[in-house]
Amino acid sequence: MIAIGCDHGGYALKQDIMAMLTEKGYEFKDYGTYSSESCDYPVYAEAVCKAIKSGECDRGILICGTGIGISIAANKFKGIRAANCADCFSAEFTRRHNDANIVALGARTIGSGLALKIVETFLTTGFDGGKHARRIGMIAEIEERELN
Ligand code: RB5
C-alpha cells in the first residue's frame, strides 16, 4: 500500500499521480491535502510517515512546491528515508542504494510527465542490499543517537 500526501503546492500534481496509480493498479491511500487552499506541509509529511511507521503502508509519495520542505519534515521520523527527486536516475539509485521509502517531488520545479516517470521508477526499483545495507544500518544508528 502506498501513502500519498501533499500541501497546496502539490495538490494538482497529486491528482495526476493518483490517476496514474489507479490506471496501473497500485493501491494507495490519500492523506491529503484535499484542495489547493493554503496549508502547512509538515502536517502531511507526518501523516504519510506515520502510515509507513505503523506498517499500514510501505512506500510514500510526498509533494510540495519544491519537494524540499516536505522531505525535510519527513526525514525527522525514525526509519524514514525520504528522497527529493527531480530526475529518474536519482529515483532509481535512491531505491537501489538508499532503500528510500518515500519519494518527494516538487510540483513547481518539475513537470507532471517527469514526475510520473520518477514515481514509476521509484515504485518498480528494488534495493541492492550488500554494502548499502550496512550504510542504512549506520543511518539508523545516527537516528538512535540523535533523534530522541
Ligand atoms: C508553499 O508555498 C511552499 O513553501 C511549499 O510548498 C514548499 O515548497 C516548501 O518547501
Side-chain angles (χ1 to χ4, degrees), residues 7-9 41 64-70 108:
D7 73 354
H8 54 289
Y41 58 79
C64 68
T66 57
I68 296 172
I70 210 156
R108 294 173 182 157

Side-chain angles (χ1 to χ4, degrees), residues 31-139:
Y31 288 87
T33 185
Y34 302 110
S35 78
S36 51
E37 196 176 317
S38 183
C39 62
D40 300 322
Y41 58 79
V43 172
Y44 306 97
E46 181 166 3
V48 165
C49 291
K50 284 187 169 165
I52 293 174
K53 289 192 71 165
S54 71
E56 193 181 352
C57 295
D58 46 11
R59 296 276 180 92
I61 302 166
L62 285 171
I63 315 140
C64 68
T66 57
I68 296 172
I70 210 156
S71 59
I72 290 174
N75 281 313
K76 300 301 176 193
F77 290 81
K78 275 188 189 173
I80 295 297
R81 292 176 301 280
N84 186 17
C85 294
D87 63 88
C88 293
F89 185 91
S90 298
E92 178 185 341
F93 278 86
T94 199
R95 286 290 310 127
R96 290 182 57 182
H97 288 188
N98 314 128
D99 198 18
N101 46 15
I102 292 181
V103 66
L105 300 161
R108 294 173 182 157
T109 57
I110 59 169
S112 176
L114 175 57
L116 297 182
K117 279 283 173 205
I118 289 171
V119 169
E120 217 180 317
T121 303
F122 178 77
L123 294 176
T124 56
T125 305
F127 178 45
D128 283 356
K131 65 185 176 190
H132 304 294
R134 181 181 72 244
R135 293 164 185 163
I136 299 304
M138 292 169 73
I139 293 173

